[in-house]
Amino acid sequence: MIGVALKGLAGRKLRAALTALAIVLGVAMVSGTFVLTDTIDKAFTAIFTESYAGTDAVVSGRSADISFQGEQAQTPGVPQDLLARVRKAPGVEAASGFVVDETAAKILDRKGKAINTNGAPALGFGLDTSPGVARFNPLNLLEGRWPTGRHEVVIDAGTADDQGYKVGDLVGVASLKPVERFRVVGLARYGSVESLGTATFAVFDVPTAQELLEREGQFDAISVAARDGVTSQELVADLTEALPSSVKVQSGSEQASDDSEEVSEFTSFIRYFLLAFGGIALFVGAFVIFNTLSITVAQRTREFATLRMIGASRRQVLGAVILEALVIGVLASVIGLFLGFGLARGLNALFDALGLGLPTTAMVYATRTFVASLLVGVVVTLVAGLAPAIRATRVPPIAAVREGATLPRSRFAAFQPYVAGAIVAGALALLLYAMFDDDLGTAQRLLSIAGGTIGLFLGVGMLSSRLIRPLAQATGPLAQGVLLVLGVLFVPVTALLWVVRKGLRRVGLSSETGFPSLRPERSIRRLARENSRRNTGRTAATAAALMIGLALVTFIATLSNGMKASNRGAIEDQVAADFVLTSQDGFTPFVAAAGEAAARTPGAELTTDVRADLAKLGDTDGYLTGIDPGTITRAYNFDWKDGSDAVLRDLGRNGAVVDKGFAEDEELAIGERFPLLTPSGKRLQLVVKGIYEAPPFYPLLGSVSIQKSTFDTLYERPRNQFTFVNVPGDPGASTQAALERAVAAFPDAKVQTREDWITQQDEDFNQFLIMLYVLLALSVIVSLFGMVNTLVLSVFERTRELGMLRAVGMERIQVRKMIRQESVITALIGAALGLPLGIFLAAMVTRALSQFDVRFSLPIGLLIVFTVVAIVAGVLAAILPARRAARLNVLNALQYE
């Protein structure tokens, strides 16, 4: 039976290849995701490990452990004079202080604009590169030398390549001081890391960095090396005893581990995000495999019956079909595994193209990647092939002598609608649970939505066979119209082909005659429609694969359109200013002096800054904002729930206005106190003066806001999140130009009108959507090949039928036209099921996210585009099967078994 199964598989190479393709693409996504994220992990690990490779201990400021939404509060520095005490400590061989800032050193491009890192670090270093402490330098010099003077800088080789800088050039650098120009004296890279993605770095000598980054008299940390015979643990103990309790001492390996843990959460998010799309592709692929194996089993009824007649048991037939699925799964998984290695580079290129590049090094091919990818592909194939395999065992031996024998119905077939209904009901219950249970955590809510979505797809897929007949009847005329339109559009091409055929026929090289009519014959239309309705299970399974792809794309488009509307509405409700100053990337803080420069602009009627930084607020980590009580209400609209604009004038040193959500979580009311703790350890008791409700989708202020003067006493280097500017009259281009000139010394500050800023937010959403559509395209491609596969199998199944039609006069062009119309009908059925399902899911998830004020907004234009894409997919899917059907030899087809 093993030999029979393998020979049968070898005899159906095309069908096996088309079946395997669905798994190949899904496994490739899984494999590529693991390779890419493992490579990113290795790059970050290399950065942190090599940063402390020559370091036995690190002395840094002691800070409160504060983080919010993946962002960690910056560790406070240590006094410069502490370095002398460290060097005198027992067990110390060498020590060096260094300065580093993750956002404040923006390198300028050739046009004088700050390079937009899209949220990646813009590192500024102050390093002691003298020979005695060179071991502490995490960077590798590739060209030139290290900086030794006030106006010298070393930049990363990636930025130099991108911007065309070389050693000896002058380059502008924007820091916490106005922009200055420095001589590039060297190019470097971070250890062995090939690329930092969109991140950049600029290296100065220590005194220059301390001035530019406002660390006068401070280091961010001190690196320490132990004497021979002294372990890292012994050195840490000696330093802890010798130094004050206000500093923290860790071994180099512990510091590297702490740093890498912060990043591992981010890379894990990327991994799961991409794996979700691989899972979607495999989920769609499972439909394709189930459909393909079901059709091949039905087509091989007499073959299985013959095997049963000559003594094969049901278990042997089951094993033969399972073996076929196993071989297809293994081969497809192996191909997909290696295809994923190339896909990893493609995904990395996608991130780069969208400005989201991440650090990478040599590609990592971990054992886990091989095992997980092969296991997933094989298991999905076997699970999808199990039901067709069981169905094959039901073939009775007598079917071998019956003409046109078909598989008997399962005894459970009558219960399928009830099972499908139960699955749909369960899926709806999960979605409703996610919608209305306000106590659910984010992870539970997402799992409930995911489970409900998968169940809904399965249930609708099982029920769809009941809808095929009316849908095929309804979409038949539309499919005819589509093909008619396409025919009109391609009249010139058709005419050219007709001329060519005519010429070939006259010289005896072609048997094809006549010019095809643009109006399909009524019999062709009827045959196409009836073929779609004849085997409702096969048509439903084919349409279900496309249904899932379209439903997901529609779901993403509808949900994102609602999010864009919510985002725009939230900004419009909050911002009343004419102009908004942000950093170049729009969300990292920028130097506060830029806001002061904007305030000096002629024509600026009002300028108000919004400072922001992390803090522990009560029992919660979050953002604290500093505002100017006298001006903020003219640029920002507070939706007061308890209080009014008047309370801002009474904030004083300890007063605060809080968001309603924060007040409810902390159970605070007007007049009640709560503690504030900054990362540097400064504490303050705040009093609630007012409670307002910020839009939950995009609140521009932090959970707690205090007056700016108090904020500046709590943080060493306060920076602005926004600067709002009002001008008399309409905000024209001349006023914007004046503001841009005023902040020209701070190139990281970006001046936009209120409307331009809101539009930019929409464009950022669109960029994210592009990435989602590219990733979802994989599942749509799987759906497309599923249609191709089913149509090819349909042609095989109807070989004798097609031979009869050709024998009674049907022309090749008519055969192709019939197959094309069947494909378009199937595509339209998929669209008719997928579009409403996607809209329904978007409506359910929007309701589940109602606490974030996500709105429901249909993207009508995109839905029309998706319908057109489905039709085009149907036409493309029919090309190969239609050509194959048209080329059938009539005599051979009539003898086909």
Side-chain angles (χ1 to χ4, degrees):
M1 289 301 294
I2 293 176
V4 169
L6 294 179
K7 288 179 181 178
L9 193 61
R12 296 180 293 275
K13 297 183 182 65
L14 177 62
R15 281 176 273 189
L18 290 172
T19 305
L21 191 59
I23 291 300
V24 168
L25 294 176
V27 171
M29 189 66 184
V30 173
S31 170
T33 295
F34 279 126
V35 171
L36 177 62
T37 53
D38 286 346
T39 301
I40 294 171
D41 265 339
K42 181 184 176 184
F44 277 116
T45 301
I47 288 174
F48 298 126
T49 302
E50 293 173 13
S51 293
Y52 302 102
T55 303
D56 295 308
V58 179
V59 180
S60 60
R62 189 175 297 278
S63 68
D65 184 17
I66 298 174
S67 63
F68 182 68
Q69 295 181 347
E71 185 174 349
Q72 191 77 22
Q74 188 168 355
T75 302
V78 297
Q80 184 171 340
D81 56 14
L82 192 68
L83 179 59
R85 293 181 61 178
V86 170
R87 286 173 173 167
K88 292 178 181 178
V92 174
E93 179 182 350
S96 175
F98 64 89
V99 171
V100 59
D101 193 296
E102 294 187 358
T103 61
K106 298 291 182 76
I107 301 172
L108 307 191
D109 60 21
R110 290 286 187 178
K111 298 179 180 179
K113 298 292 185 181
I115 296 172
N116 187 354
T117 62
N118 288 305
L123 296 160
F125 287 109
L127 301 177
D128 185 352
T129 56
S130 57
V133 292
R135 63 186 294 174
F136 300 123
N137 190 342
L139 307 176
N140 287 334
L141 190 66
L142 302 180
E143 188 178 341
R145 61 176 175 82
W146 294 112
T148 56
R150 174 66 179 77
H151 298 288
E152 294 180 346
V153 68
V154 168
I155 64 174
D156 63 287
T159 299
D161 288 341
D162 292 341
Q163 302 298 327
Y165 289 126
K166 59 183 183 298
V167 173
D169 288 350
L170 287 174
V171 60
V173 179
S175 62
L176 297 181
K177 304 293 184 183
V179 65
E180 295 185 41
R181 295 181 70 78
F182 297 84
R183 181 75 59 185
V184 178
V185 296
L187 305 177
R189 75 176 182 184
Y190 223 126
S192 60
V193 175
E194 295 177 357
S195 169
L196 285 176
T198 58
T200 64
F201 66 73
V203 184
F204 311 93
D205 62 15
V206 173
T208 302
Q210 287 176 321
E211 178 188 348
L212 296 176
L213 304 176
E214 297 183 353
R215 263 84 165 173
E216 288 86 352
Q218 283 189 332
F219 295 128
D220 282 288
I222 298 173
S223 299
V224 189
R227 291 176 180 172
D228 291 340
V230 178
T231 65
S232 295
Q233 289 73 22
E234 291 172 341
L235 180 62
V236 169
D238 290 341
L239 289 170
T240 302
E241 184 177 349
L243 299 178
S245 60
S246 59
V247 300
K248 180 175 65 174
V249 183
Q250 284 185 295
S251 68
S253 58
E254 289 173 339
Q255 186 69 45
S257 177
D258 287 348
D259 291 346
S260 60
E261 281 180 9
E262 296 176 16
V263 177
S264 64
E265 296 180 9
F266 172 67
T267 53
S268 295
F269 169 77
I270 296 176
R271 178 179 292 120
Y272 295 134
F273 177 75
L274 294 176
L275 283 176
F277 289 93
I280 290 170
L282 286 170
F283 182 62
V284 178
F287 272 85
V288 174
I289 291 169
F290 171 80
N291 191 28
T292 302
L293 291 179
S294 295
I295 294 173
T296 55
V297 165
Q299 291 175 354
R300 296 160 61 195
T301 300
R302 297 187 70 180
E303 174 189 333
F304 291 133
T306 302
L307 291 173
R308 292 292 311 282
M309 183 175 288
I310 61 177
S313 65
R314 287 191 170 190
R315 178 173 294 182
Q316 288 176 312
V317 173
L318 176 67
V321 180
I322 289 292
L323 179 61
E324 289 186 24
L326 176 63
V327 171
I328 290 174
V330 170
L331 293 177
S333 299
V334 170
I335 296 171
L337 171 68
F338 290 100
L339 184 63
F341 298 162
L343 183 61
R345 297 186 182 276
L347 289 172
N348 191 49
L350 173 63
F351 287 139
D352 286 341
L354 295 174
L356 304 173
L358 296 167
T360 55
T361 183
M363 287 293 179
V364 177
Y365 307 107
T367 303
R368 184 270 318 274
T369 300
F370 289 82
V371 174
S373 301
L374 294 175
L375 189 63
V376 166
V378 171
V379 169
V380 168
T381 308
L382 289 178
V383 170
L386 185 61
I390 294 173
R391 192 180 181 198
T393 64
R394 298 201 305 267
V395 177
I398 193 63
V401 296
R402 288 179 180 171
E403 183 71 23
T406 58
L407 286 172
R409 283 173 56 85
S410 167
R411 57 187 174 183
F412 301 109
F415 300 102
Q416 179 177 329
Y418 304 105
V419 173
I423 292 174
V424 170
L428 291 176
L430 281 174
L431 291 172
L432 291 171
Y433 178 56
M435 286 171 57
F436 293 107
D437 192 333
D438 295 332
D439 296 329
L440 275 182
T442 302
Q444 292 174 303
R445 194 178 302 277
L446 290 175
L447 285 174
S448 182
I449 290 173
T453 300
I454 292 173
L456 197 60
F457 283 149
L458 289 173
V460 173
M462 293 173 67
L463 289 172
S464 59
S465 60
R466 306 274 172 167
L467 305 173
I468 292 301
R469 293 183 182 276
L471 286 175
Q473 185 69 32
T475 56
L478 181 57
Q480 172 195 347
V482 167
L483 293 175
L484 182 61
V485 170
L486 292 176
V488 171
L489 292 176
F490 288 97
V491 161
V493 177
T494 308
L496 178 62
L497 292 175
W498 176 75
V499 170
V500 172
R501 287 198 199 101
K502 214 49 169 163
L504 292 175
R505 185 179 61 80
R506 288 183 177 178
V507 297
L509 296 177
S510 175
S511 60
E512 197 73 34
T513 62
F515 180 77
S517 170
L518 293 178
R519 183 174 58 84
E521 294 85 346
R522 185 172 300 175
S523 57
I524 300 298
R525 297 198 303 269
R526 187 172 64 252
L527 281 171
R529 188 166 56 251
E530 291 303 319
N531 286 334
S532 299
R533 298 170 59 187
R534 181 193 309 170
N535 192 329
T536 56
R538 181 183 64 207
T539 303
T542 308
L546 186 61
M547 172 197 75
I548 294 173
L550 279 175
L552 289 170
V553 174
T554 302
F555 164 71
I556 293 295
T558 305
L559 185 62
S560 299
N561 200 57
M563 287 183 172
K564 282 201 297 184
S566 300
N567 189 65
R568 173 175 281 272
I571 296 173
E572 290 175 341
D573 289 344
Q574 294 175 91
V575 178
D578 297 323
F579 289 95
V580 181
L581 269 69
T582 65
S583 60
Q584 289 293 334
D585 59 32
F587 45 87
T588 55
F590 61 96
V591 58
E596 296 168 4
R600 295 191 293 269
T601 305
E605 184 179 61
L606 174 138
T607 303
T608 185
D609 299 323
V610 176
R611 309 266 209 259
D613 215 322
L614 289 172
K616 182 172 285 295
L617 308 165
D619 297 324
T620 307
D621 292 354
Y623 271 100
L624 174 72
T625 47
I627 57 177
D628 187 342
T631 57
I632 186 64
T633 55
R634 295 169 62 188
Y636 181 89
N637 297 318
F638 287 92
D639 182 11
W640 295 105
K641 298 303 174 186
D642 197 344
S644 66
D645 289 350
V647 304
L648 295 171
R649 293 192 293 269
D650 300 325
L651 284 183
R653 174 170 170 75
N654 294 351
V657 292
V658 301
D659 176 47
K660 179 184 175 184
F662 173 80
E664 291 175 348
D665 292 341
E666 297 288 323
E667 299 180 349
L668 295 172
I670 297 295
E672 293 187 337
R673 295 177 175 269
F674 65 96
L676 162 69
L677 174 65
T678 68
S680 62
K682 295 181 179 179
R683 299 176 182 273
L684 188 65
Q685 282 290 323
L686 296 177
V687 180
V688 179
K689 296 289 188 178
I691 299 174
Y692 72 99
E693 184 169 13
F697 192 83
Y698 188 11
L700 299 182
L701 301 184
S703 302
V704 176
S705 296
I706 59 177
Q707 67 176 2
K708 188 172 65 173
S709 58
T710 303
F711 185 96
D712 290 350
T713 64
L714 296 172
Y715 294 90
E716 292 183 4
R717 290 173 291 276
R719 286 182 257 188
N720 291 354
Q721 189 70 37
F722 307 104
T723 294
F724 298 121
V725 181
N726 281 344
V727 297
D730 294 331
S734 60
T735 308
Q736 182 169 353
L739 283 169
E740 289 173 348
R741 286 193 299 270
V743 300
F746 308 96
D748 190 39
K750 185 177 183 180
V751 180
Q752 291 176 290
T753 65
R754 175 177 179 269
E755 187 60 34
D756 288 343
W757 183 48
I758 297 173
T759 302
Q760 181 64 52
Q761 302 299 310
D762 288 343
E763 291 176 359
D764 291 343
F765 254 105
N766 290 336
Q767 190 177 47
F768 179 65
L769 272 178
I770 290 171
M771 181 176 66
L772 292 182
Y773 289 148
V774 170
L775 295 173
L776 280 174
L778 198 63
S779 60
V780 177
I781 290 172
V782 173
S783 303
L784 177 60
F785 279 103
M787 290 183 63
V788 173
N789 200 4
T790 305
L791 289 170
V792 168
L793 294 174
S794 174
V795 169
F796 277 113
E797 181 180 343
R798 291 183 286 151
T799 298
R800 292 186 69 185
E801 173 192 327
L802 293 171
M804 290 287 292
L805 292 173
R806 292 280 286 123
V808 298
M810 180 177 280
E811 296 181 358
R812 290 182 177 180
I813 188 67
Q814 293 174 317
V815 173
R816 288 198 294 268
K817 190 179 297 182
M818 180 181 70
I819 300 298
R820 280 199 301 268
Q821 186 151 347
E822 286 181 40
S823 180
V824 172
I825 289 173
T826 303
L828 289 172
I829 291 173
L833 294 171
L835 293 177
L837 186 57
I839 293 170
F840 173 74
L841 283 173
M844 297 284 278
V845 173
T846 298
R847 174 62 185 82
L849 299 175
S850 60
Q851 60 177 318
F852 300 108
D853 197 27
V854 177
R855 305 178 185 182
F856 181 77
S857 178
L858 279 178
I860 302 299
L862 277 177
L863 297 183
I864 294 173
V865 169
F866 295 155
T867 305
V868 173
V869 168
I871 293 170
V872 173
V875 174
L876 293 176
I879 292 175
L880 179 63
R883 290 176 65 84
R884 185 177 186 87
R887 290 178 177 179
L888 286 175
N889 182 284
V890 176
L891 294 178
N892 291 340
L894 291 174
Q895 299 171 4
Y896 184 82
E897 288 290 336

